[in-house]
C-alpha cells in the first residue's frame, strides 16, 4: 500500500512509517472531502449558494489545503453579498497556491473597483449597525439601516432575511414577501427565506396576543418582534457578530489600500526609510539584521516546503480527479467524467496511470463527444462563437470518427472564417475533403476552398 500523503510504501498495518499518518483514514478523509466538493459544485451551478457554502465548508474541514474548494466557497460567499468572507477565502487560497490560481485575479478585480468595494463596506457597516439597533429594540432605526444596506448591496441575502423576519413579526406580509423574493433571487434555495415564505403562505390564522400581534396587526408588547429577530440573527447572521475583528482586518489591510492609494510623496518617504534601514544593517550585527536573516532563512524553508507540497498536491489532485471521473462514469455522468479527464495534465505520468486514464476516456469520450457536439452546434446557431468553438474542439478531440465529426469540423471552419483566420478554416475544409469523402458537407467544403482561392 502506498501512502497518499508522502508516497512511501506501507508494508504492514495502516500507519505510514515515514510521515506517521493512518493511510486508510487519510484516503477516506480525502474521498469525503471530494464528495462534499462535488456536492458544492452541483449546488453552486443550481444557484443554491447556501447549500454550496455548507458543503464547501465541510469539504475544507476534511482538507483545509483544497484551494479549488476555497475559491468556489469565496465565489458562493460573494454571490450572497458576503464580500469580506469571500476575500478571506481567496486570500487563504492564494497563500496555499500562488501559480495557476485564479484567487489572485478575484482579489485584484475587486481592488480595481474601489467604488464597488466602498459600497460593500458601507452595506456591511449598516447591517452591523442594524443588529445593534435590534438588540436595543430600536426597531425603526434598525429597519432604516437594513433597507439602506440592502439598497446598497442587493445581494446581501442575510439583510433581506432579517427584514423579512421583521415584517413577518409585525404582520406586514406583502413587505416581507418583497424581501423574501429578493433573497431567493440571489440564493434560489436559501433555507431561511424558504421557511419565511412557507410561514406567510400558510392558511391565515386570527392573530392573538400569544403570537405577539394586536387586532390591527401590530405588535403591542414587542415580544413577537424580539423573538423573530433574535431567531433570524442567530440562524443567518451570527458570523457578522463573531467576525467583526476579522472583517475589519481584511478591509483595512486589503480593501482600504485600493480605495486610498498612497500618493507619490508617501511612496518616496517609505522608499527612503527602506534605504536607510538597509544601510544601517549592512554589517549584519544589529538586532534587526539578525531577525531579518532568521526571517529570510525561515522564508526559504517555507518556500521549499511549499514547492514540495505543490508537487505532492498535484499528484493527489490528479488521483482525486481520476477517482471522481470513475465515479461519474459508474453513475452514467459521461459529460462530467469526460470534462474532468480532458483537463488532466498527463505530463510525467507513469505507464500504469496513463493506461488507467486512457481506459476511462475510452468509456466516456464517445458519449461525451456527442454531447459536446450538440452543445457546440446549439451555441453556434445562437451566435455564441467563442463557447461553440470550445465545445466543438473538445468533441473532435474526444472522438474524431463519429457520424457527426465532419459537421463539427465544418462548423469549426466557419467559426475560423468569422474570426478572420482563413488558413485555419482552409485546414478544416481540407480535412473534410481528405477524411470525409462521403460527407454531406463535402461539396460545401470544396466550394468554400474554391471561393477562397479566387482573387479578391
Amino acid at each position: 500500500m502506498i501512502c497518499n500523503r508522502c508516497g512511501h510504501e506501507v508494508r504492514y498495518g495502516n500507519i505510514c512509517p515515514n510521515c506517521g499518518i493512518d493511510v486508510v483514514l487519510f484516503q477516506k478523509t480525502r474521498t469525503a472531502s471530494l464528495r462534499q466538493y462535488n456536492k458544492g459544485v452541483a449546488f453552486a451551478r443550481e444557484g443554491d449558494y447556501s447549500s454550496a457554502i455548507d458543503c464547501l465548508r465541510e469539504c475544507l474541514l476534511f482538507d483545509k489545503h483544497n484551494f479549488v474548494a476555497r475559491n468556489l466557497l469565496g465565489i458562493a460567499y460573494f454571490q450572497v453579498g458576503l464580500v469580506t468572507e469571500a476575500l478571506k477565502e481567496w486570500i487563504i487560497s492564494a497563500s496555499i497556491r500562488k501559480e495557476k490560481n485564479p484567487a489572485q485575479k478575484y482579489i485584484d478585480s475587486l481592488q480595481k473597483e474601489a467604488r464597488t468595494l466602498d459600497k460593500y463596506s458601507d452595506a456591511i457597516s449598516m447591517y452591523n449597525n442594524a443588529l445593534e439597533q435590534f438588540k436595543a429594540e430600536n426597531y425603526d432605526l434598525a429597519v432604516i439601516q437594513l433597507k439602506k444596506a440592502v439598497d446598497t448591496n442587493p445581494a446581501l441575502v442575510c439583510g433581506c432575511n432579517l427584514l423579512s423576519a421583521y415584517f413577518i413579526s409585525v404582520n406586514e406580509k406583502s413587505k416581507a414577501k418583497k424581501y423574501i423574493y429578493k433573497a431567493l433571487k440571489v440564493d434560489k434555495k436559501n433555507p431561511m427565506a424558504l421557511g419565511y415564505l412557507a410561514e406567510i403562505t400558510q392558511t391565515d390564522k386570527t392573530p392573538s396576543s400569544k403570537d405577539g400581534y394586536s387586532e390591527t396587526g401590530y405588535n403591542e408588547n414587542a415580544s413577537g418582534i424580539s423573538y423573530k429577530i433574535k431567531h433570524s440573527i442567530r440562524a443567518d447572521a451570527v458570523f457578522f457578530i463573531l467576525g467583526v475583528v476579522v472583517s475589519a482586518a481584511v478591509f483595512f489591510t486589503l480593501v482600504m489600500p485600493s480605495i486610498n492609494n498612497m500618493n507619490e510623496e508617501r511612496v518616496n518617504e517609505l522608499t527612503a526609510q527602506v534605504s536607510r534601514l538597509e544601510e544601517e544593517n549592512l554589517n549584519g550585527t544589529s538586532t534587526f539584521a539578525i531577525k531579518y536573516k532568521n526571517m529570510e532563512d525561515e522564508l526559504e524553508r517555507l518556500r521549499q516546503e511549499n514547492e514540495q507540497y505543490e508537487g505532492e498536491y498535484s499528484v493527489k489532485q490528479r488521483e482525486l480527479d481520476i477517482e471522481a471521473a470513475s465515479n461519474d462514469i459508474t453513475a452514467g455522468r459521461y459529460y462530467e467524467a469526460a470534462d474532468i479527464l480532458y483537463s488532466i495534465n498527463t505530463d510525467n505520468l507513469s505507464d500504469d496511470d496513463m493506461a488507467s486514464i486512457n481506459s476511462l476516456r475510452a468509456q466516456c469520450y464517445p458519449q461525451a463527444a456527442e454531447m459536446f457536439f450538440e452543445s457546440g452546434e446549439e451555441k453556434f446557431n445562437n451566435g455564441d462563437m467563442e463557447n461553440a468553438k470550445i465545445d466543438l474542439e473538445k468533441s473532435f478531440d474526444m472522438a474524431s470518427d463519429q457520424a457527426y465529426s465532419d459537421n463539427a469540423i465544418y462548423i469549426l471552419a466557419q467559426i475560423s472564417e468569422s474570426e478572420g483566420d482563413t488558413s485555419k478554416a482552409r485546414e478544416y475544409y481540407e480535412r473534410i475533403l481528405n477524411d470525409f469523402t462521403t460527407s454531406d458537407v463535402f461539396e460545401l467544403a470544396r466550394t468554400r476552398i474554391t471561393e477562397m482561392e479566387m482573387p479578391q
Side-chain angles (χ1 to χ4, degrees), residues 222-277:
S223 62
I225 297 177
S226 179
Y227 173 78
K228 178 67 72 176
I229 295 301
K230 286 179 181 178
H231 173 73
S232 178
I233 292 173
R234 281 199 305 270
D236 202 32
V238 69
F239 51 81
F240 272 97
I241 301 170
L242 298 178
V244 168
V245 175
V246 177
S247 299
V250 171
F251 268 95
F252 279 101
T253 59
L254 177 64
V255 178
M256 293 304 291
S258 69
I259 298 173
N260 302 305
N261 291 320
M262 291 187 299
N263 56 35
E264 186 176 352
E265 182 179 346
R266 179 59 175 157
V267 172
N268 292 336
E269 180 185 339
L270 290 174
T271 303
Q273 288 180 15
V274 171
S275 298
R276 285 197 301 272
L277 287 172

Side-chain angles (χ1 to χ4, degrees), residues 8-273:
H8 193 83
E9 183 178 4
V10 182
R11 296 185 178 180
Y12 307 103
N14 296 338
I15 305 301
C16 175
N18 185 49
C19 64
I21 68 160
D22 185 324
V23 293
V24 175
L25 180 61
F26 183 81
Q27 182 58 37
K28 287 183 177 179
T29 301
R30 283 296 179 88
T31 302
S33 176
L34 177 64
R35 186 181 302 113
Q36 293 303 110
Y37 172 75
N38 287 336
K39 288 182 180 179
V41 171
F43 284 130
R45 285 175 176 169
E46 295 172 0
D48 183 2
Y49 297 112
S50 294
S51 298
I53 288 170
D54 290 340
C55 290
L56 292 168
R57 290 175 68 178
E58 288 186 22
C59 166
L60 292 173
L61 286 177
F62 290 116
D63 183 5
K64 65 181 180 180
H65 294 109
N66 190 335
F67 71 92
V68 179
R70 286 197 184 276
N71 288 345
L72 183 56
L73 179 58
I75 291 171
Y77 276 138
F78 184 84
Q79 291 295 331
V80 297
L82 305 181
V83 182
T84 304
E85 298 298 314
L87 283 169
K88 281 168 52 182
E89 296 303 330
W90 292 334
I91 290 169
I92 295 172
S93 172
S95 70
I96 293 172
R97 179 160 185 176
K98 295 180 174 58
E99 301 296 329
K100 296 182 180 180
N101 185 352
Q104 192 59 51
K105 293 181 181 178
Y106 303 153
I107 297 169
D108 293 343
S109 177
L110 276 178
Q111 286 183 299
K112 291 176 182 177
E113 297 293 333
R115 290 185 180 179
T116 302
L117 281 173
D118 200 9
K119 286 173 58 180
Y120 291 151
S121 178
D122 289 344
I124 291 174
S125 295
M126 287 184 280
Y127 180 90
N128 285 330
N129 192 2
L131 294 184
E132 295 302 321
Q133 297 295 341
F134 273 127
K135 286 182 185 178
E137 298 188 358
N138 297 325
Y139 300 121
D140 291 341
L141 292 176
V143 170
I144 291 171
Q145 288 295 307
L146 272 180
K147 285 183 176 180
K148 287 182 178 178
V150 172
D151 288 342
T152 302
N153 184 2
L156 194 62
V157 172
C158 52
C160 294
N161 283 339
L162 200 49
L163 280 168
S164 301
Y166 170 78
F167 286 122
I168 289 174
S169 69
V170 296
N171 204 27
E172 294 190 38
K173 295 182 180 180
S174 61
K175 291 183 179 179
K177 281 184 179 180
K178 171 185 173 182
Y179 290 102
I180 289 171
Y181 291 139
K182 272 181 173 286
L184 293 176
K185 183 178 180 180
V186 177
D187 188 9
K188 294 182 180 178
K189 296 183 182 179
N190 184 272
M192 179 160 285
L194 290 174
Y196 290 152
L197 184 60
E199 182 177 343
I200 64 176
T201 52
Q202 289 175 351
T203 303
D204 289 336
K205 297 180 180 180
T206 303
S208 63
S209 60
K210 69 178 180 179
D211 296 320
Y213 304 124
S214 70
E215 291 182 358
T216 60
Y218 290 94
N219 188 298
E220 294 178 337
N221 55 27
S223 62
I225 297 177
S226 179
Y227 173 78
K228 178 67 72 176
I229 295 301
K230 286 179 181 178
H231 173 73
S232 178
I233 292 173
R234 281 199 305 270
D236 202 32
V238 69
F239 51 81
F240 272 97
I241 301 170
L242 298 178
V244 168
V245 175
V246 177
S247 299
V250 171
F251 268 95
F252 279 101
T253 59
L254 177 64
V255 178
M256 293 304 291
S258 69
I259 298 173
N260 302 305
N261 291 320
M262 291 187 299
N263 56 35
E264 186 176 352
E265 182 179 346
R266 179 59 175 157
V267 172
N268 292 336
E269 180 185 339
L270 290 174
T271 303
Q273 288 180 15

Side-chain angles (χ1 to χ4, degrees), residues 406-407 410 417 428-434 436-452:
D406 52 342
N407 288 295
Y410 186 76
E417 282 200 72
Y428 282 130
Y429 289 134
E430 288 178 345
R431 183 152 192 175
I432 293 173
L433 298 184
N434 294 330
F436 300 94
T437 55
T438 60
S439 168
D440 57 346
V441 294
F442 180 87
E443 289 300 330
L444 292 173
R446 184 159 61 182
T447 299
R448 285 302 305 138
I449 289 179
T450 301
E451 291 174 348
M452 293 168 72

Side-chain angles (χ1 to χ4, degrees), residues 236-440:
D236 202 32
V238 69
F239 51 81
F240 272 97
I241 301 170
L242 298 178
V244 168
V245 175
V246 177
S247 299
V250 171
F251 268 95
F252 279 101
T253 59
L254 177 64
V255 178
M256 293 304 291
S258 69
I259 298 173
N260 302 305
N261 291 320
M262 291 187 299
N263 56 35
E264 186 176 352
E265 182 179 346
R266 179 59 175 157
V267 172
N268 292 336
E269 180 185 339
L270 290 174
T271 303
Q273 288 180 15
V274 171
S275 298
R276 285 197 301 272
L277 287 172
E278 289 177 345
E279 292 174 4
E280 200 173 277
N281 291 280
L282 279 176
N283 56 18
T285 58
S286 68
T287 302
F288 177 83
I290 294 172
K291 288 183 177 180
Y292 182 77
K293 178 64 169 61
N294 291 338
M295 288 174 64
E296 279 191 324
D297 293 342
E298 178 67 9
L299 179 62
E300 180 59 28
R301 183 184 67 80
L302 291 173
R303 184 181 293 113
Q304 291 176 1
E305 286 185 0
N306 188 53
E307 289 176 357
Q308 180 183 357
Y309 168 76
E310 286 182 357
E312 293 173 356
Y313 184 87
S314 178
V315 173
K316 302 301 181 297
Q317 187 63 47
R318 189 158 54 199
E319 291 173 355
L320 291 173
D321 286 343
I322 293 173
E323 182 179 353
S326 179
N327 292 336
D328 282 337
I329 290 172
T330 302
R333 297 188 293 268
Y334 300 112
Y335 185 93
E336 291 82 354
D339 212 22
I340 293 173
L341 293 169
Y342 188 82
S343 62
I344 289 179
N345 185 352
T346 57
D347 293 343
N348 303 318
L349 276 182
S350 67
D351 292 342
D352 289 343
D353 286 341
M354 197 68 238
S356 298
I357 291 176
N358 287 335
S359 175
L360 292 172
R361 285 175 173 173
Q363 296 177 54
C364 66
Y365 268 16
Q367 296 91 331
E370 185 171 4
M371 296 178 189
F372 277 114
F373 169 72
E374 292 171 353
S375 173
E377 185 179 38
E378 181 180 356
K379 290 172 183 175
F380 174 76
N381 291 333
N382 291 333
D384 186 1
M385 302 296 180
E386 182 178 352
N387 290 311
K389 182 178 179 180
I390 293 171
D391 284 352
L392 291 167
E393 285 178 344
K394 283 185 179 180
S395 173
F396 194 75
D397 288 345
M398 290 178 185
S400 60
D401 56 353
Q402 302 298 306
Y404 49 82
S405 297
D406 52 342
N407 288 295
I409 299 176
Y410 186 76
I411 296 174
L412 283 170
Q414 290 182 292
I415 293 173
S416 295
E417 282 200 72
S418 70
E419 294 174 340
D421 190 349
T422 54
S423 62
K424 189 66 178 178
R426 183 186 182 91
E427 182 180 324
Y428 282 130
Y429 289 134
E430 288 178 345
R431 183 152 192 175
I432 293 173
L433 298 184
N434 294 330
D435 299 342
F436 300 94
T437 55
T438 60
S439 168
D440 57 346

